[in-house]
Each structure stands twice: as C-alpha cells, then as structure tokens.
Amino acid sequence: MSRHIISILLENEAGALSRVSGLFSARAYNIESLTVAPTEDPSMSRMTIVTTGSEDVVEQITKQLNKLVEVVKVVDLSEAEHIEREMMLIKVRAGAKEREDMKRMADIFRARVIDVSDNTYTIELTGDGRKLDAFIQALDQSAILETVRTGASGIGRGNRILRV
Amino acid sequence: MDRVKGVELTGAEIVVRCLQEEGVEYVFGYPGGAVLFIYDELFKQDKVKHVLVRHEQGAAHAADDYSRSSNKVGVCLVTSGPGVTNAVTGIATAYMDSIPMVILTGQVPTAAIGLDAFQEVDAVGITRPCVKHNFLVKNVKDLAGTIKKAFYLAQTGRPGPVLVDIPKDVTMQSCEFAYPETVAMRSYNPVRKGHPGQVRKAAQLLLGAQRPMIYTGGGVILSDAAKPLGEIVRLLGFPCTSTLMGLGGYPASDPQFLGMLGMHGTYEANMAMQNCDVLLAIGARFDDRVIGNPAHFAQNPRKIIHIDIDPSSISKRVRVDVPIVGHVPDVLQDLIKLLSAEGGKPDIAPWWKQIGEWRARDCLKYDRNSKIIKPQFVIEKLYEVTRGDAFVTSDVGQHQMWAAQFYKFEKPRRWINSGGLGTMGFGLPAAMGVQLVNPGATVACVTGESSIQMCLQELSTCKQYRLPIKIVNLNNKYMGMVRQWQQFFHGNRYSESYMDALPDFVKLAEGYGHRGVLIDKPADVEPALRDAFKRKDELVFMDFLTDQTENVYPMVPGGKGISEMILAEDL
Ligand SMILES: Cc1ncc(C[n+]2csc(CCOP(=O)(O)OP(=O)(O)O)c2C)c(N)n1
C-alpha cells in the first residue's frame, strides 16, 4: 500500500465529478482527498485525487479512470518528480492573551493572518499535507475553532506537462 | 445531411428522425407520460417499428438480444420514473456483457427536475454504474448530437449500453435538425491496432510453447472475430477453450475445442488451463467464474498473452506478461501474418496426449438409461432436432449450464445468455429480440420453471408479434442451481429453493394463445421436440418434467482453483 497522487484532465461537464467519485466508491478504492476546478480552458477541469493502494490497485484506478468517457488524460504524478500543495484556512481563538503567540506561530510556518476579529484570527497556510498537519499539531488544540483544507493539488516538475 | 433551412422539428420529431438516420428497425418500449410526444411521432411514421413489451425489463432485454444476435445496436424506449427503474435490470445485464444498446428514457420537464415531481427519478444517477455512458439533454439543440454520440459510444471500443434521458419539455421544443455524420471527442479515442512489438513478443512465445492453450471469451463474439480465431487455432494446432460468453466463437464439434472452461467447464479444459505453459487469452477477462481462485491459478507458472480492447480488463485479476490492447480481429490478423511468415507449428504431441487422457474421463457423462427425463438428454435432443443450427437463449441456473455444455455451438451469436449479471428472466425477452432480428430462424429458449416466471408476461408480446419461439422448460420444481449449492455446501438444507404452487404451464401457454405440451417420459422427448420445431408459426411451450435431483458437473466450488473440480463420479 502506498500513497499516490493522480491528476486528471476531464471535460467540464455536469456529472463528470460524480462519475469519478462514483467509480471510486463502486470499486472500493480509497479517496484521501479530491480537488477539482476548471483550467485555463473553461471547457476542461483538472482534478487531483490522493489515494492509497497496492501497485495493482493503482494501475486499475488509472485504467478505470481512463475508461470514463469524459476523462481526457490521467497521470499518476507520484511516478516521477512532482510538487504538491494544499491550502488550509484555520480559525483560532486569539484574545488579548493569545494574540502574540498565535502571530509568532503563524510566522514560523510562513502562514498569513487574513482575518481578524476581537477574539479570533483566521490564518491561511499553504504547503504539503505534512506541513499543514505540523501546524495544527503545533497549536494549542483548545485554541482551534475551525479548520478547512482544500485537499492536495499536484503538478509535475520541470518539463513534465499534463495537457491535451 | 438534409438540413432544411428554416424548418424546425420538435424534440420528439428529432428523436424519431435520429433513429431513422441510424437505420433502427425496431424500438422496444413502453409508453408513459414523459414520452408521449415521442410516441406520437412514432405513430406518424412507419420506418421505425415499435414493439410493445409487457414490462420495461423485457424491453431492455429484447433490445439487448436484438443486438447480441445481430451486432446492430438495440434500442429501447421507456418513460420516466418506474419505466426507468423497471429497465435497470436489463441495462445492467447488457452492461455486464458489454452489449451495444441505446436506451432512451423520458424525464420530467426540466423545470420540475429536482422537485420530486410525479414519476421523477434521477435516471442518470441510478444508471451511472451500469452504463458505458449516459446523458441528460437539457436543450433541444443538443438532442441530435447527443443521440449520435450515444450510438457511437455504444458500438465503438468496448461496447456497452448508453442512456439518453430526455425531459418532456425538450421533446416539445423545436429547432433545426441536422444529424451529424461523424463524432469527434477529445476524451474518447479507442485503440484498434495492437502494438507491433507486443504482437511480435506474442508470436515468439506461442511458437516456443510446449503446453499452449487458447482461451477465448465474449470479446471474440462481440468483435466478430470468429474467422481469424479459427485461422489462428488451426494454424498453430493448439487446444482452444471458451468462456460461457464466447461459445460459438470456435466450432464446438472441432477436435481442437476442449469445451467450455470455468466453474462448470469440462475437466480437460480446466486441467489444460491450469497446466499450460503459454496461455493466449482473447477477449476474455479471467473472471471469478472462469479461473476460480486467482491465487490457486497463479501457483502454476505460465506466460500469459492477453488481447483485449479494454486495457482495464488486462492484469485486473491475473498478472499478464504480454498485454495487447486492440480490436481483437485486427490484432489476430497481425498475429496470423507473423506466425504464417515464421511457418511451422510447434510440436506439442505430448501435450495433446495428456489432454487426451483428461478427455477420457468423459466428464459430461450422465445416466442415459434413466427412467426419468434427464435434463442433459433434453438438450442433446434439442441439438439433434435443430441440427445444431438454432439460436438458443437461456435463463440462469442449471439449465443454462446444461445448454452451454450439451448444445454444441458452431457459429457465433447463436448462444444468447446473461453470463455477467446472471439475470433470471432474461431468456424469454431475449428470444423475442433474437426472433425479430432473425425472422424465420429457429429460436429456442432454454429455461427453468423458476426463471421463466420472472418475465412470463412477455408471452403476451410473443402473441402480439407472432414470434414462434420454442420454450424448453426444464422443470425440476426447484431453483435447481440454488438447490445444488445447498446440497453441496449447506448440508442438504433446501431453504426456500423448492418451487411450490407451480402453474399448469400447458394451460398457462394456452391462456396466452400459444401451444403448451407436457412431457414426462424420456421416450416422448424427441417426438415432442420434432413436433414443436415443425410448427413454424406457433410458439410452443414445452414443459419437460425432469429429474429433480440432477446436478451440474463438473463443478468448481466457489473460492477453489479451477483444477479442483467435483466430478459426477466423485459422489
Ligand atoms: C433475478 C435473479 N434472482 C436470483 C438469482 C439467483 N439464482 C441463480 S440460479 C437460481 C435458480 C434458477 O432456477 P430455475 O430457473 O428453475 O433453473 P434451474 O437451476 O432449476 O435449472 C437462482 C434463484 C438470479 N440469478 N437472478
């Protein structure tokens, strides 16, 4: 079992997302995260799926994805050098007592405070999943009010390009 | 196309025009609110004929089998809500066996979608896992293009059912009609030609084989590859077996054919499959009913070449050494060219000797002197009486396996059964589709008293359209296959597998306006069949009272390896 990050180019059509997610549930494949948004060509979406499975299962996953009529291209990014990023918004308690500490912690992780109220901060942090986990760990757990993570997006390094 | 500038057609007219453009002869369907405009247009023309079934499951099966026996795309038309849900079993059946078919479904008006309208179901959602693709058409301007795509997708690549969901208001709106001549989709480009390097590797492996085996499946039938298959088998002189779905792809009476393999395959086919050193798999998918336990199968080392149109069928359950993705007939032609150039068959005499010994076990023997009708005997007689030239449809159960084992199919598209989904109720509507596409042909439906009751209402359709199907009911008063499993694996506890309160099938057939006959003695089997098949214009329902305790042998118990068979003589 290993972790794979799979990139998919697919037609930006109603129902395409449910075909992909339906495939994963129907065939009992794992999904750790799934992100999707249109590309620079609005008729096409780019999806990133993080999954775990044996080599055989991941081979089946890519083949089954390719079989979907709306899927244009599939690449297992983890087969070669690639970059992964995830974004997190985290709202923490930040009253007069905690403010300074929170700000310092955010700086250490190169996170940004993007919203402030009397007693809260909303912090934005981008990085790979482990970095986001580490930030959460580093905080006083009782100070965390809300977290929202996008799931990973990935791209190949250098000349490794996924397009039609 | 004959685009008429300025003239607009309604969505309903467009649907019918598209069917005409596709050369569709028959539509199998059932009307209802959401498709009334389409039915109105069907009424106004006579190029596309409509066959009114008695239940939408029947429409889907009949369209499916129209396709199976002809390789034309079967079409079925049903209304929204219950029309769709009733058809789902038939759609899933076609999907599991990769049958090209187009299903048109009515939908509530676009403005009502999502509001729990009367007879609303999410047809696209419900059928998503059991179609090759599906569409919801929200704008009449997209209708013709979508139907064109549906027909294209259904029959190219690995075939399959494609559903087009059409809201009622779309059938009422109008636009100019132009039926596209071609389809181009950047996301869908099935490969046809096999990779030459892989084909070369395959040829080398085959020529070096000592214990080769050719294993063929439904893909051979679907891609019309029987001819090149025959050539390659004879060219190499290798033994050949077939899955349930591939029967007829290679002539069953040929000595190189070892019979069907798998859970109820012959001893020789299963032993050769397990013990071969080079396996050529063609349009087959190593499923659980064929190779049993994959770990057991993998115990014997062998090199596997696998030709299939669908990459996801390759190395799914069994690791393959030489994958070749492509259209089976094209790949076989390339392979034949290479093999003929090399010349010379490998000498595999010792392997044939071994196979001969396995054959000598005579694994399909049964008691021919029985005083009770043996089901196998009925199928053997059916084969004789129809001179092996009938279209045989079947339901699901023991009778299906006996038909597969004892009717020697010589030609493709003659054996029509639900192998993937195993749908009881399939046989009779299947026979309707087959008879309609092959008028005048001999069509037999081999069934059991339990299966036939699942789509029995179609006897009425058969009457309406004068379909002279011959129903061979192997009546053992049990869900025989269930009873067999209960006997072997559940301590003879026949839980709910006895078919009590059976109807009088003779009267039942007569009630529908057909001919019914009861046969309860072995001596009457052949005369009854001869009489029935003489009646070219009548449906005859033959109710054969057969041995209630007969089992299908050989049998590979679930989870076991294919060479671990239970044989009749073991008990
Ligand atoms: C729709 C459906 N329900 C249940 C089953 C499970 N099943 C498989 S074979 C069988 C018994 C079939 O009995 P019958 O039609 O009498 O045939 P026989 O095995 O006796 O020849 C059953 C219930 C099935 N295949 N399909």
Side-chain angles (χ1 to χ4, degrees), chain B residues 57 89 395-400 402 421-425 447-452 454 474 476-482 499:
Chain B
Q57 181 184 349
T89 300
D395 269 299
V396 174
Q398 291 181 317
H399 61 272
Q400 175 190 25
W402 286 316
L421 198 67
T423 309
M424 289 171 69
T447 184
E449 78 298 327
S450 313
S451 289
I452 191 71
M454 284 213 182
L474 300 180
N476 51 12
K477 300 199 170 78
Y478 274 101
M479 297 172 195
M481 190 55 94
V482 173
M499 259 292 143

Short mmCIF file of all heavy atoms in Angstrom, two decimals, chain B residues 57 89 395-400 402 421-425 447-452 454 474 476-482 499, ligand 1:
data_model
loop_
_atom_site.label_atom_id
_atom_site.label_comp_id
_atom_site.label_asym_id
_atom_site.label_seq_id
_atom_site.Cartn_x
_atom_site.Cartn_y
_atom_site.Cartn_z
N GLN B 57 -38.45 -4.26 -18.19
CA GLN B 57 -37.29 -5.16 -18.14
C GLN B 57 -37.20 -5.94 -19.45
O GLN B 57 -36.13 -6.14 -20.01
CB GLN B 57 -37.38 -6.13 -16.95
CG GLN B 57 -36.16 -7.05 -16.87
CD GLN B 57 -36.26 -8.09 -15.76
OE1 GLN B 57 -37.14 -8.03 -14.89
NE2 GLN B 57 -35.36 -9.05 -15.77
N THR B 89 -32.58 -3.49 -14.51
CA THR B 89 -32.04 -4.85 -14.54
C THR B 89 -31.56 -5.21 -15.94
O THR B 89 -30.50 -5.81 -16.11
CB THR B 89 -33.12 -5.85 -14.08
OG1 THR B 89 -33.49 -5.51 -12.75
CG2 THR B 89 -32.60 -7.28 -14.10
N ASP B 395 -32.09 -18.78 -19.60
CA ASP B 395 -32.20 -18.05 -18.35
C ASP B 395 -30.99 -18.38 -17.50
O ASP B 395 -29.92 -18.67 -18.04
CB ASP B 395 -33.54 -18.40 -17.67
CG ASP B 395 -34.62 -17.43 -18.12
OD1 ASP B 395 -34.43 -16.23 -17.85
OD2 ASP B 395 -35.62 -17.85 -18.72
N VAL B 396 -31.16 -18.39 -16.19
CA VAL B 396 -30.00 -18.59 -15.34
C VAL B 396 -30.24 -19.73 -14.36
O VAL B 396 -31.27 -19.77 -13.69
CB VAL B 396 -29.66 -17.29 -14.59
CG1 VAL B 396 -28.54 -17.51 -13.59
CG2 VAL B 396 -29.26 -16.22 -15.60
N GLY B 397 -29.30 -20.63 -14.30
CA GLY B 397 -29.41 -21.76 -13.39
C GLY B 397 -28.78 -22.99 -14.01
O GLY B 397 -27.94 -22.88 -14.92
N GLN B 398 -29.18 -24.15 -13.52
CA GLN B 398 -28.63 -25.40 -14.05
C GLN B 398 -28.89 -25.54 -15.54
O GLN B 398 -28.01 -25.94 -16.31
CB GLN B 398 -29.26 -26.58 -13.30
CG GLN B 398 -28.85 -26.69 -11.85
CD GLN B 398 -29.51 -27.89 -11.20
OE1 GLN B 398 -30.70 -28.14 -11.41
NE2 GLN B 398 -28.74 -28.63 -10.41
N HIS B 399 -30.12 -25.22 -15.94
CA HIS B 399 -30.49 -25.41 -17.35
C HIS B 399 -29.55 -24.63 -18.27
O HIS B 399 -29.22 -25.07 -19.37
CB HIS B 399 -31.95 -24.96 -17.57
CG HIS B 399 -32.18 -23.52 -17.27
ND1 HIS B 399 -32.51 -23.08 -16.01
CD2 HIS B 399 -32.05 -22.41 -18.03
CE1 HIS B 399 -32.61 -21.75 -16.04
NE2 HIS B 399 -32.34 -21.32 -17.23
N GLN B 400 -29.12 -23.46 -17.79
CA GLN B 400 -28.20 -22.61 -18.57
C GLN B 400 -26.88 -23.35 -18.78
O GLN B 400 -26.32 -23.37 -19.88
CB GLN B 400 -27.98 -21.32 -17.78
CG GLN B 400 -26.98 -20.35 -18.35
CD GLN B 400 -26.66 -19.22 -17.35
OE1 GLN B 400 -26.80 -19.39 -16.14
NE2 GLN B 400 -26.28 -18.07 -17.85
N TRP B 402 -26.35 -26.63 -18.55
CA TRP B 402 -26.52 -27.81 -19.41
C TRP B 402 -26.62 -27.39 -20.87
O TRP B 402 -26.08 -28.06 -21.75
CB TRP B 402 -27.76 -28.61 -18.97
CG TRP B 402 -27.51 -29.37 -17.71
CD1 TRP B 402 -26.39 -30.10 -17.41
CD2 TRP B 402 -28.38 -29.47 -16.57
NE1 TRP B 402 -26.52 -30.64 -16.14
CE2 TRP B 402 -27.73 -30.28 -15.61
CE3 TRP B 402 -29.64 -28.96 -16.27
CZ2 TRP B 402 -28.29 -30.59 -14.38
CZ3 TRP B 402 -30.21 -29.28 -15.04
CH2 TRP B 402 -29.54 -30.08 -14.10
N LEU B 421 -24.19 -10.74 -15.45
CA LEU B 421 -25.08 -10.41 -14.33
C LEU B 421 -25.85 -11.64 -13.86
O LEU B 421 -26.25 -11.70 -12.70
CB LEU B 421 -26.06 -9.29 -14.72
CG LEU B 421 -26.74 -8.58 -13.55
CD1 LEU B 421 -25.72 -7.78 -12.73
CD2 LEU B 421 -27.86 -7.66 -14.03
N GLY B 422 -26.04 -12.61 -14.73
CA GLY B 422 -26.78 -13.80 -14.35
C GLY B 422 -28.22 -13.49 -14.01
O GLY B 422 -28.71 -13.79 -12.92
N THR B 423 -28.92 -12.90 -14.98
CA THR B 423 -30.26 -12.39 -14.72
C THR B 423 -31.34 -13.41 -15.06
O THR B 423 -31.57 -13.71 -16.24
CB THR B 423 -30.50 -11.13 -15.59
OG1 THR B 423 -29.41 -10.23 -15.37
CG2 THR B 423 -31.81 -10.47 -15.22
N MET B 424 -31.98 -13.97 -14.04
CA MET B 424 -33.16 -14.79 -14.30
C MET B 424 -34.23 -13.89 -14.93
O MET B 424 -34.36 -12.72 -14.55
CB MET B 424 -33.71 -15.37 -13.00
CG MET B 424 -32.84 -16.44 -12.37
SD MET B 424 -33.42 -16.87 -10.70
CE MET B 424 -34.97 -17.70 -11.05
N GLY B 425 -34.96 -14.42 -15.86
CA GLY B 425 -35.98 -13.62 -16.54
C GLY B 425 -35.50 -13.13 -17.89
O GLY B 425 -36.24 -12.54 -18.65
N THR B 447 -35.04 -22.79 -20.44
CA THR B 447 -35.33 -22.10 -19.20
C THR B 447 -35.67 -23.10 -18.09
O THR B 447 -35.64 -24.31 -18.29
CB THR B 447 -36.47 -21.07 -19.43
OG1 THR B 447 -36.69 -20.33 -18.25
CG2 THR B 447 -37.76 -21.76 -19.84
N GLY B 448 -35.93 -22.56 -16.91
CA GLY B 448 -36.35 -23.38 -15.79
C GLY B 448 -37.66 -22.83 -15.26
O GLY B 448 -38.02 -21.68 -15.53
N GLU B 449 -38.37 -23.65 -14.50
CA GLU B 449 -39.70 -23.22 -14.06
C GLU B 449 -39.64 -21.99 -13.15
O GLU B 449 -40.62 -21.25 -13.05
CB GLU B 449 -40.45 -24.38 -13.37
CG GLU B 449 -40.04 -24.70 -11.94
CD GLU B 449 -38.59 -25.12 -11.80
OE1 GLU B 449 -38.07 -25.76 -12.72
OE2 GLU B 449 -37.97 -24.81 -10.77
N SER B 450 -38.48 -21.72 -12.55
CA SER B 450 -38.38 -20.53 -11.70
C SER B 450 -38.05 -19.30 -12.55
O SER B 450 -38.71 -18.27 -12.45
CB SER B 450 -37.30 -20.71 -10.64
OG SER B 450 -37.45 -21.96 -10.00
N SER B 451 -37.05 -19.43 -13.40
CA SER B 451 -36.63 -18.30 -14.24
C SER B 451 -37.76 -17.81 -15.13
O SER B 451 -37.98 -16.61 -15.26
CB SER B 451 -35.46 -18.70 -15.13
OG SER B 451 -34.29 -18.87 -14.37
N ILE B 452 -38.46 -18.74 -15.76
CA ILE B 452 -39.45 -18.33 -16.76
C ILE B 452 -40.53 -17.47 -16.12
O ILE B 452 -41.11 -16.59 -16.77
CB ILE B 452 -40.07 -19.56 -17.49
CG1 ILE B 452 -40.90 -19.14 -18.71
CG2 ILE B 452 -40.94 -20.40 -16.56
CD1 ILE B 452 -40.12 -18.61 -19.86
N MET B 454 -40.14 -15.14 -14.15
CA MET B 454 -39.70 -13.77 -13.88
C MET B 454 -40.01 -12.78 -14.99
O MET B 454 -40.01 -11.58 -14.75
CB MET B 454 -38.21 -13.74 -13.56
CG MET B 454 -37.93 -14.25 -12.17
SD MET B 454 -36.53 -13.41 -11.44
CE MET B 454 -36.44 -14.26 -9.85
N LEU B 474 -37.07 -26.77 -18.52
CA LEU B 474 -36.55 -27.92 -17.79
C LEU B 474 -37.08 -27.81 -16.36
O LEU B 474 -36.49 -27.14 -15.52
CB LEU B 474 -35.02 -27.95 -17.84
CG LEU B 474 -34.44 -28.05 -19.26
CD1 LEU B 474 -32.91 -28.07 -19.21
CD2 LEU B 474 -34.96 -29.29 -19.99
N ASN B 476 -37.72 -28.84 -12.91
CA ASN B 476 -37.32 -29.74 -11.82
C ASN B 476 -37.96 -29.33 -10.50
O ASN B 476 -37.56 -29.79 -9.44
CB ASN B 476 -35.78 -29.79 -11.70
CG ASN B 476 -35.18 -28.40 -11.62
OD1 ASN B 476 -35.91 -27.41 -11.43
ND2 ASN B 476 -33.87 -28.31 -11.75
N LYS B 477 -38.89 -28.41 -10.60
CA LYS B 477 -39.64 -27.94 -9.43
C LYS B 477 -38.74 -27.31 -8.36
O LYS B 477 -39.15 -27.12 -7.22
CB LYS B 477 -40.48 -29.05 -8.80
CG LYS B 477 -41.51 -29.64 -9.76
CD LYS B 477 -42.59 -30.37 -8.99
CE LYS B 477 -43.76 -30.76 -9.87
NZ LYS B 477 -43.52 -31.93 -10.70
N TYR B 478 -37.52 -27.07 -8.72
CA TYR B 478 -36.58 -26.42 -7.79
C TYR B 478 -35.88 -25.29 -8.50
O TYR B 478 -35.70 -25.33 -9.72
CB TYR B 478 -35.49 -27.41 -7.34
CG TYR B 478 -35.86 -28.25 -6.16
CD1 TYR B 478 -36.28 -29.57 -6.33
CD2 TYR B 478 -35.79 -27.73 -4.87
CE1 TYR B 478 -36.61 -30.35 -5.24
CE2 TYR B 478 -36.12 -28.51 -3.77
CZ TYR B 478 -36.53 -29.81 -3.96
OH TYR B 478 -36.85 -30.58 -2.88
N MET B 479 -35.43 -24.32 -7.69
CA MET B 479 -34.39 -23.43 -8.21
C MET B 479 -33.15 -24.30 -8.18
O MET B 479 -32.39 -24.34 -7.21
CB MET B 479 -34.19 -22.25 -7.27
CG MET B 479 -35.40 -21.38 -7.14
SD MET B 479 -35.11 -20.18 -5.82
CE MET B 479 -36.78 -19.64 -5.58
N GLY B 480 -32.99 -25.06 -9.26
CA GLY B 480 -32.04 -26.17 -9.25
C GLY B 480 -30.64 -25.77 -8.84
O GLY B 480 -29.96 -26.47 -8.08
N MET B 481 -30.16 -24.66 -9.36
CA MET B 481 -28.79 -24.27 -9.06
C MET B 481 -28.64 -23.92 -7.59
O MET B 481 -27.63 -24.23 -6.96
CB MET B 481 -28.37 -23.10 -9.95
CG MET B 481 -26.89 -22.79 -9.88
SD MET B 481 -25.87 -24.21 -10.25
CE MET B 481 -25.58 -23.99 -12.00
N VAL B 482 -29.67 -23.30 -7.04
CA VAL B 482 -29.64 -22.97 -5.61
C VAL B 482 -29.67 -24.27 -4.81
O VAL B 482 -28.89 -24.47 -3.87
CB VAL B 482 -30.84 -22.07 -5.25
CG1 VAL B 482 -30.91 -21.86 -3.74
CG2 VAL B 482 -30.74 -20.74 -5.98
N MET B 499 -39.91 -24.90 -5.57
CA MET B 499 -40.90 -24.06 -6.26
C MET B 499 -42.27 -24.67 -6.09
O MET B 499 -42.69 -25.53 -6.86
CB MET B 499 -40.56 -23.98 -7.74
CG MET B 499 -39.86 -22.72 -8.15
SD MET B 499 -40.94 -21.29 -8.03
CE MET B 499 -39.76 -20.10 -7.46
C1 LIG C 1 -33.05 -12.24 -10.74
C2 LIG C 1 -32.30 -13.32 -10.05
N1 LIG C 1 -32.63 -13.68 -8.79
C3 LIG C 1 -31.97 -14.68 -8.17
C4 LIG C 1 -30.96 -15.34 -8.79
C5 LIG C 1 -30.19 -16.44 -8.07
N2 LIG C 1 -30.38 -17.74 -8.77
C6 LIG C 1 -29.45 -18.24 -9.60
S1 LIG C 1 -29.90 -19.68 -10.31
C7 LIG C 1 -31.37 -19.69 -9.47
C8 LIG C 1 -32.34 -20.79 -9.66
C9 LIG C 1 -32.92 -20.86 -11.01
O1 LIG C 1 -33.92 -21.84 -11.02
P1 LIG C 1 -34.59 -22.35 -12.36
O2 LIG C 1 -34.92 -21.21 -13.23
O3 LIG C 1 -35.70 -23.25 -12.03
O4 LIG C 1 -33.42 -23.12 -13.06
P2 LIG C 1 -32.67 -24.47 -12.65
O5 LIG C 1 -31.45 -24.08 -11.89
O6 LIG C 1 -33.60 -25.31 -11.84
O7 LIG C 1 -32.33 -25.08 -13.95
C10 LIG C 1 -31.46 -18.56 -8.66
C11 LIG C 1 -32.59 -18.28 -7.76
C12 LIG C 1 -30.64 -14.92 -10.10
N3 LIG C 1 -29.65 -15.48 -10.80
N4 LIG C 1 -31.35 -13.94 -10.71
#
